[in-house]
Amino acid sequence: MRPTLINLLAGAAVALSAIAVAPAFADAKVTLTYLADPNWVKDAEKTLAKKFEEKTGIAIDFQLVPSDQFFNVLKTKLNSGEAPDLYGGQSGVTDLKLNYNVAKNAVDLSGEPWAKLEDPLVSAQSTVDGKLYGLTYWDTIGYVWVVNYNKSIFAKYGLTPPKTYADFKALSQKLLDNGIQPLYEPVSDGWHQTLWFPEIGPRYEQESPGLADQLNTNKAKFADNKTMLTDLTQLKEMYDLGFFGKNALSDAFADRTKAVADGKVAMTLMQSAFPNDLKHDYPDTDPANWGVFVIPLADNQLLNINPAGPTHFIYSGSQHIAEAKQYLDFLTQPENLQYYLDNEPQFLTLPFPGVKSKYSPELQAFMDAHKDARGVVYQTEVNYVNPQWMDIGKDITAMFTGEETPADVLANVDKRRADLAEAAKDPAWN
């Protein structure tokens, strides 16, 4: 059948329409903005983001804000309705409600293919009212904060890992007397010094069984707890005795490997994979020369476990929710999980099945030895603690400089908890 004039004209119109539309479609490129603390975005993820762009054409624009400014910047953007497509944040049910109001500001990810694969202890910290709001792309299982120590230095001066604070104080003083800085403590970032306090939550719980529940129901206060006061008093004493060196207030987390690489500092409170981190930055160092022990303040001998950690959220007001979900799905593909783990020296495992962990035999033995001697850290176990992490850091700095006492720090924690509880309309505080 010969085409009619009408058919020819219609065909030409379709062709012209395709020509007009095609270039606009081809030029359309989605760029996802991702706001985060720079400590949460590892180089391995940046590489994966480039691979994601090569595969999908969707670019990731990492907008990194310094730790001491990040939460204020994020809250401002969330409150103004101008948040990025993706944002980072610490998981933990209280934080999800108070810091991010995820029911309003995040996308429900419960139906994503990776959601049921994530370790349930970890995903529970990103879940509110039965809905999963975040992907915790972090080592929350093997990534524990412990005191890393130089075995060669310990052997030279006949030192062994401490079992009490008195032991810790004595060995630190011996190191100092021999010209070795006992500990590297980077105070300037504003957050690291806080670790010494809530991380030994298991010890507080051991000394006062049920304390976390009492704190969460407003039946106990931090200021009334003798073990917490002991912890902060001993931390202050460590600073006063010079165990952190002369420049602790200006020392930075970014310099953590540099500080210990030359053997002038014997210990540092860092993640369990710190020896790998050190090897990455200084290839001549031997990870086997480093051992670990638990934070010994208040005579603690329990291992501090935190199933919460830096988490990816998708902003509910994003114009590119589908593309953001694609990115999270890409990150959780088995080969990408393994790439991320293999190329991040700070991590030893990830909360997904199938990844090959990087535990050394010694660290595996350490973890096994504490299998029945551990507990959950208080910034996760107790409500309204993690949202004030940076404020606690400021208080501890003020304690170091003599502007506050250990008792003042605890009283301030209680005051902020009450303010946060009131803002959350927590019935236990009404």
Side-chain angles (χ1 to χ4, degrees):
M1 179 183 295
R2 295 180 63 184
T4 66
L5 180 58
I6 292 177
N7 288 337
L8 288 171
L9 290 172
V14 170
L16 287 171
S17 175
I19 292 172
V21 172
F25 179 79
D27 290 341
K29 179 178 180 179
V30 172
T31 296
L32 298 174
T33 53
Y34 176 33
L35 182 72
D37 182 313
N39 293 306
W40 300 343
V41 179
K42 304 300 184 181
D43 288 341
E45 181 176 350
K46 293 178 182 178
T47 300
L48 287 172
K50 292 178 181 177
K51 292 182 178 180
F52 176 70
E53 182 178 3
E54 292 171 0
K55 180 177 180 180
T56 65
I58 303 169
I60 308 296
D61 175 19
F62 292 101
Q63 300 179 350
L64 306 181
V65 178
S67 302
D68 60 347
Q69 304 170 34
F70 172 72
F71 283 115
N72 287 335
V73 172
L74 176 59
K75 285 183 178 180
T76 298
K77 289 183 176 292
L78 289 175
N79 291 337
S80 65
E82 298 178 352
D85 300 299
L86 294 137
Y87 58 91
Q90 289 282 358
S91 62
V93 177
T94 301
D95 287 81
L96 264 62
K97 292 179 178 179
L98 293 180
N99 276 351
Y100 320 115
N101 189 9
V102 291
K104 175 185 176 183
N105 293 319
V107 173
D108 180 4
L109 302 173
S110 306
E112 294 305 294
W114 51 266
K116 291 182 174 60
L117 299 176
E118 191 173 38
D119 187 298
L121 284 177
V122 176
S123 62
Q125 297 300 324
S126 296
T127 301
V128 174
D129 297 330
K131 295 180 180 180
L132 178 69
Y133 286 101
L135 164 64
T136 302
Y137 208 55
W138 201 259
D139 181 2
T140 55
I141 305 300
Y143 191 99
V144 291
W145 292 95
V146 286
V147 180
N148 287 257
Y149 70 95
N150 186 311
K151 291 181 181 178
S152 296
I153 295 177
F154 267 48
K156 181 177 180 179
Y157 297 104
L159 306 175
T160 57
K163 298 296 184 182
T164 65
Y165 172 71
D167 293 342
F168 190 42
K169 178 181 174 181
L171 72 84
S172 296
Q173 188 63 56
K174 186 170 185 178
L175 289 167
L176 193 62
D177 291 344
N178 284 277
I180 302 293
Q181 181 177 319
L183 288 142
Y184 183 74
E185 173 50 54
V187 175
S188 70
D189 294 271
W191 61 270
H192 190 273
Q193 63 269 32
T194 307
L195 291 164
W196 295 92
F197 174 46
E199 282 284 326
I200 68 163
R203 176 60 172 164
Y204 305 143
E205 201 68 18
Q206 183 182 48
E207 288 290 283
S208 304
L211 178 60
D213 288 338
Q214 293 172 14
L215 289 165
N216 286 335
T217 54
N218 196 26
K219 295 178 181 176
K221 294 185 182 299
F222 278 64
D224 296 332
N225 189 270
K226 293 181 180 179
T227 312
M228 292 181 181
L229 184 63
T230 297
D231 172 272
L232 290 173
T233 301
Q234 292 174 349
L235 180 60
K236 164 68 169 169
E237 183 178 43
M238 290 163 61
Y239 176 84
D240 289 344
L241 290 173
F243 293 168
F244 298 150
K246 299 179 180 179
N247 303 308
L249 297 181
S250 59
D251 283 337
F253 182 74
D255 296 327
R256 61 196 180 282
T257 57
K258 179 181 178 182
V260 305
D262 59 5
K264 295 181 180 179
V265 179
M267 299 176 286
T268 184
L269 176 58
M270 292 291 163
Q271 70 282 356
S272 49
F274 177 71
N276 295 339
D277 200 9
L278 184 61
K279 176 71 173 178
H280 177 269
D281 292 348
Y282 294 89
D284 291 337
T285 59
D286 182 5
N289 187 47
W290 286 80
V292 297
F293 57 85
V294 296
I295 300 170
L297 300 191
D299 296 339
N300 174 60
Q301 286 298 295
L302 300 175
L303 183 61
N304 37 301
I305 300 295
N306 189 354
T311 299
H312 294 57
F313 300 95
I314 299 175
Y315 178 48
S316 56
S318 168
Q319 299 300 307
H320 305 294
I321 291 175
E323 291 86 350
K325 285 184 176 182
Q326 274 186 264
Y327 179 58
L328 299 188
D329 185 62
F330 178 82
L331 291 178
T332 53
Q333 293 302 305
E335 65 275 15
N336 295 331
L337 286 167
Q338 194 64 55
Y339 175 87
Y340 184 53
L341 178 59
D342 291 345
N343 290 276
E344 176 41 57
Q346 291 186 352
F347 292 172
L348 298 172
T349 188
L350 288 172
F352 285 90
V355 294
K356 185 179 180 181
S357 68
K358 301 186 297 187
Y359 286 119
S360 67
E362 181 175 356
L363 186 56
Q364 184 67 64
F366 172 79
M367 298 296 285
D368 291 344
H370 291 84
K371 185 176 181 180
D372 298 318
R374 56 177 139 187
V376 177
V377 297
Y378 258 31
Q379 63 265 36
T380 296
E381 191 82 337
V382 178
N383 295 339
Y384 315 119
V385 174
N386 202 53
Q388 53 171 304
W389 188 276
M390 298 299 290
D391 291 313
I392 297 173
K394 291 177 182 177
D395 283 333
I396 291 176
T397 300
M399 180 184 74
F400 287 160
T401 59
E403 298 170 58
E404 293 185 19
T405 66
D408 291 334
V409 176
L410 294 176
N412 290 342
V413 172
D414 284 328
K415 174 63 168 61
R416 286 189 293 264
R417 290 189 74 232
D419 291 343
L420 289 166
E422 183 179 349
K425 297 181 180 179
D426 191 319
W429 269 263
N430 288 332

